[in-house]
Amino acid sequence: MIIKRLIVGLMIVAGSVFGGCSSGYTNDTGKQMNPLAERYVKLALEVGKHHDYYIDAYYGPKEWQQQASKRPLTELAEDAQSLLSAIERVSPDREQQLRKDMLQVQVRSLLAFVEQLGGKQLSFDQESLALYDAVSGALTEADFDDALAELDQLLPGQGDLNTRLDAFQRQFVIPSDKLAQVFDAAISEARNRTKQYIELPSNESFTLEYVTSKPWSGYNWYQGNSHSVIQVNTDFDMQIDRAIDLASHEGYPGHHVFNSLMEKHLVNGKGWIEYSKYPLYSPLSLLAEGSANYGIEVAFPQPQRLEFERDVLFKLAELDASQAERYYQVQSVLSKLSYAGNVAAKRYLDGQINKQQAIEFLMKYALSDRNKSAQRIDFIERYRAYVINYNLGQDIVRAYVEPQADGDHDKRWQVFSQLLANPKSASMMQTRAGD
């Protein structure tokens, strides 16, 4: 999962070279923006004193973190309003326009989060728009009927789809004694593919840990200095496709790559200190989660993914590779049920259904078993509207990249990398995609 963070010319894409540091410190707009960015970072750290999960990563000046105090929420809201007014008065040059736009949307999100902490009630859609700059579409049960009917034809047996899917997928569970070997192979391949198109910092590294009793399946804890701790939750059996999903999403070209390059080139290179901290409940999360999910298919286009998993991962896990194509047919249809989680979250958090009804909805329309559905509701209770960042974020990033790539694989990597190099919120990506 998370986070999951650059500027045109900073990435090496298909043989190009990183540009040098820009004039972020020295030009007139930079001189105006830098103190405002510093105010934002310090304000975000103070908001983090009111919520344990708000600051997901921080690698700015240690003294700022040490000096952050738990001031009243009303004071934080007033400071956020004042900061927004100050940012609005800046007349940026072309280079700094994106910086100003992103700083504005980030501060607006911070203000909305502070107001929520202070008791302001927002609906699911209002919250997702205020915090993440996007709203998931209005869907009903009927929107998932075609996918359920298709699965009814694909899955062997008769009767309850959830039971049949569970029986089918048990054939593709990675044995616990093979999990480390399979995941190591997946993340090594994801890293090698990413390095063909993106130059990684020479000191980048990660530590892999297997954990239990978490509401998520995987997490990237970015530590700074191009190092991540990647945790994989083993509460439930892991099916073979999750190895590539987690290796790419949490690692390459997902959260680990995003964060380490942002630190090197935005924070250290340009001096844009606002990117030295990552607020979880912010518009940056939609890009982070959306690009990490979309990055899976960038690194592993479906035919290549099927070939690698059939020829390498299935064998390492000692699974029947002859069933790989059928397995991915089912997974492709299951992906059409992704937004069922958004519907369940919206109805549950808006009080339209209770917890048990939300679990039953997920069992029927997301086809997750009871235990996994309950774990998913635990995630929704903790992270609320954050759930839209995975599927809606992926779709927004894809809609931004694909028209510019025009079906060319190398171009897809280039546009994708440039998006990571120039962080944009959802509305900013949608405006460009609609041009």
Side-chain angles (χ1 to χ4, degrees), residues 43-55 76 113 117:
L43 188 58
L45 291 173
E46 290 180 318
V47 174
K49 295 294 183 179
H50 290 268
H51 194 287
D52 291 341
Y53 312 124
Y54 185 68
I55 299 297
L76 299 181
F113 189 73
L117 290 177

Side-chain angles (χ1 to χ4, degrees), residues 124-176:
F124 182 85
D125 287 344
Q126 290 171 334
E127 178 181 313
S128 70
L129 181 61
L131 299 185
Y132 310 114
D133 193 37
V135 176
S136 187
L139 301 175
T140 68
E141 287 83 346
D143 291 291
F144 309 114
D145 286 343
D146 288 347
L148 294 176
E150 194 172 351
L151 285 168
D152 189 42
Q153 297 297 314
L154 276 174
L155 293 171
Q158 301 292 323
D160 178 64
L161 268 181
N162 203 305
T163 302
R164 290 160 59 193
L165 177 64
D166 182 64
F168 175 77
Q169 291 188 323
R170 279 202 301 270
Q171 304 173 75
F172 305 98
V173 170
I174 304 170
S176 58

